[in-house]
Amino acid sequence: MAFKIGLLGLGTVGTGTAEIILDPAGRNPLLKEIEIKQAGVKSLGKPRSVNPGVITSDLEGIVTDPEIDIVVELLGGLEPARSLILKAIDRGKHIVTANKAVIARHGDEIYTAANKAGVYVLLEAAVGGGIPIIKPLKQSLGVNRLKSVIGIVNGTTNYILTKMAAVGADFDNVLAEAQKLGYAEADPTADVDGWDAADKIAILAAIAFGGRIKREDIPCEGIRQINATDISYADKLGFVIKLLAIAQTNNNSQDDTLQVRVHPTLVPKDHPLASINDVYNAILVEGEPLGQVMFFGPGAGAGATASAVVSDILNIVGILKSSGKTRNLDPLLSCSHQHFATLTPLEEIETRFYARFLCKDIPGVIGHLGTSFGAHHVSLESVVQIGFQGELAEIVVVTHDVKEGNFRQALAEIRTLEAIDSIPSILRVL
Ligand code: HSE
């Protein structure tokens, strides 16, 4: 008996998924037991690599087809994906999805419905494309007391930052080139403003730290403000700039809030994430007693993402084969969260900072900066004055770990100093 799947979407990842299922030779033998019963598309006219007989524009018909065991949602976006997933769950179908946006924003509703209906919602492809990270976090690393999950999880921004560093170019020029080459979308907002990375870290944090995450509470800064000057200073100081998605516990054992944030970050050149370049993704997980483990690979693309989609389909097929259509969900594959995690307020987070000041080149400026920082308990790791912008001297400061609130208060005071012209850049340091 074949296990019947319904594909919602035959775009890049949908086509890659169909290609793996239709060409099982040399792959896991369970693939031969999967049949694409229907594949739903928005427009019927285009040539497709699957049997035209299974293609339909009736997406509702797929999620209500009584013969379909697993609905594979590869439409992306919030609607109609959310409604179709909920309807499929209501009809007792298992779900495989690559849709990080719908899970990050509506995961609570979707997993509550899935647990009630006794069906799985698997999402390996939603984070890191072809990199296995969801199942390792849930299963292989699940016995560790996890401390941090830090990822470069957006290929577009990693490509842009890598190119900016390599050629010394500013953001706008590299974005335009990336769009011409097809590496960045015509509307790059979700990638360059960090929203895609925030969706992904919301999902990883929920799995790693066992509490749902309110996506809208995640502080999120993108890379539009990064420029060649800061990349060059970072380089001189021993750092590269990466867009990091961070989820970590606080060092203080009394504080059970969780830090979840996305922002460009100065990463020391000898850190494992510093050498992840171009469109690649990597996720560094640290836990006790394991220590550090890093997952690295292609974070997007038809074949890589389809590999993760089909591995989820296989997981469900394996369960259905061994136990029939059971309503007792395997807790290592289903969602067991009952509550939302409390996120640490940004001003309470302790991190190092990099700040670049433009100021008059007069005696005492560095002293004034030091006094203001000191008054707000901000300890400095280094202060350098290397360049000029016209008449103005450029001073770059790197702090030790400080509370973000204290650092911001010091900056507010510094902005009022007579000798300070402006503070063009403020970045966090890993
Ligand atoms: N837009 C994403 C990226 C790929 O640039 O990494 C899909 O998650």
Side-chain angles (χ1 to χ4, degrees):
M1 186 194 81
F3 293 90
K4 296 189 172 54
I5 68 166
L7 286 179
L8 298 174
L10 265 186
T12 315
V13 179
T15 302
T17 298
E19 282 171 1
I20 295 176
I21 293 170
L22 297 172
D23 178 21
R27 310 186 205 269
N28 189 304
L30 270 184
L31 280 174
K32 298 197 181 101
E33 302 191 29
I34 298 171
E35 177 193 327
I36 301 175
K37 168 90 190 319
Q38 294 202 65
V41 297
K42 281 190 199 126
S43 74
L44 287 172
K46 292 188 195 161
R48 312 278 181 177
S49 55
V50 301
N51 168 9
V54 305
I55 294 180
T56 173
S57 60
D58 178 12
L59 303 184
E60 292 262 340
I62 294 180
V63 299
T64 54
D65 181 338
E67 287 191 16
I68 284 178
D69 303 292
I70 304 169
V71 167
V72 182
E73 186 275 306
L74 303 171
L75 299 167
L78 298 183
E79 288 293 355
R82 172 188 154 274
S83 307
L84 289 167
I85 289 172
L86 288 171
K87 190 165 269 187
I89 290 172
D90 187 52
R91 301 296 168 111
K93 297 178 194 324
H94 301 283
I95 307 291
V96 171
T97 180
N99 189 335
K100 63 248 155 191
V102 83
I103 296 294
R105 290 171 174 79
H106 299 293
D108 183 33
E109 182 185 21
I110 289 170
Y111 279 104
T112 301
N115 288 345
K116 194 161 149 232
V119 297
Y120 294 101
V121 177
L122 301 192
L123 71 165
E124 187 59 70
V127 183
I131 304 172
I133 181 64
I134 305 289
K135 205 170 175 215
L137 276 180
K138 269 183 188 272
Q139 302 191 355
S140 327
L141 304 178
V143 300
N144 286 274
R145 199 169 287 132
L146 294 182
K147 189 167 168 279
S148 63
V149 176
I150 305 181
I152 293 173
V153 288
N154 182 267
T156 306
T157 46
N158 204 37
Y159 173 82
I160 292 173
L161 290 172
T162 305
K163 272 281 166 298
M164 285 174 72
V167 301
D170 269 327
F171 172 79
D172 289 333
N173 298 337
V174 178
L175 173 64
E177 189 207 322
Q179 284 171 318
K180 217 161 53 193
L181 293 170
Y183 291 145
E185 309 264 350
D187 176 1
T189 309
D191 292 317
V192 303
D193 290 330
W195 304 347
D196 172 81
D199 287 344
K200 291 169 176 169
I201 199 66
I203 292 170
L204 294 183
I207 293 168
F209 299 104
R212 290 176 184 168
I213 304 291
K214 291 210 173 90
R215 165 66 181 80
E216 63 275 19
D217 289 350
I218 299 178
C220 177
E221 283 172 30
I223 65 162
R224 286 184 201 267
Q225 82 281 20
I226 302 299
N227 55 46
T229 307
D230 291 313
I231 290 179
S232 162
Y233 272 116
D235 179 53
K236 287 191 184 89
L237 293 166
F239 300 98
V240 291
I241 299 182
K242 296 288 181 192
L243 182 71
L244 295 190
I246 298 174
Q248 62 185 38
T249 56
N250 288 291
N251 287 333
N252 172 359
S253 61
Q254 306 298 313
D255 183 351
D256 60 0
T257 65
L258 195 61
Q259 295 185 27
V260 186
R261 49 201 163 102
V262 172
H263 48 68
T265 313
L266 272 71
V267 179
K269 284 180 186 169
D270 60 359
H271 187 279
L273 289 168
S275 54
I276 309 304
N277 287 323
D278 300 312
V279 292
Y280 285 99
N281 283 194
I283 300 121
L284 182 70
V285 181
E286 188 169 350
E288 183 276 323
L290 171 78
Q292 289 187 333
V293 60
M294 190 158 87
F295 298 82
F296 164 78
T305 311
S307 154
V309 169
V310 183
S311 83
D312 277 347
I313 299 173
L314 273 194
N315 260 296
I316 296 174
V317 166
I319 289 169
L320 294 180
K321 260 184 93 75
S322 61
S323 57
K325 295 195 178 197
T326 174
R327 299 282 136 171
N328 293 324
L329 293 177
D330 176 346
L332 290 178
L333 273 181
S334 59
C335 173
S336 52
H337 306 148
Q338 304 294 336
H339 69 285
F340 279 91
T342 306
L343 301 194
T344 317
L346 201 54
E347 62 270 21
E348 292 296 322
I349 287 175
E350 288 194 25
T351 181
R352 291 194 287 167
F353 279 93
Y354 158 105
R356 180 160 58 89
F357 300 88
L358 288 179
C359 45
K360 293 180 188 146
D361 194 20
I362 53 175
V365 177
I366 290 182
H368 288 311
L369 281 179
T371 306
S372 294
F373 279 128
H376 294 278
H377 313 288
V378 176
S379 169
L380 301 183
E381 187 178 288
S382 66
V383 181
V384 292
Q385 180 181 341
I386 300 174
F388 280 84
Q389 302 259 352
E391 297 281 285
L392 295 169
E394 218 163 29
I395 296 175
V396 169
V397 162
V398 176
T399 72
H400 286 295
D401 273 335
V402 294
K403 276 204 172 143
E404 175 142 357
N406 290 353
F407 182 71
R408 299 277 171 194
Q409 280 173 15
L411 289 187
E413 184 176 312
I414 288 166
R415 278 196 183 89
T416 67
L417 296 176
E418 169 74 28
I420 300 295
D421 177 83
S422 58
I423 312 176
S425 310
I426 302 159
L427 293 164
R428 296 175 187 84
V429 179
L430 196 60

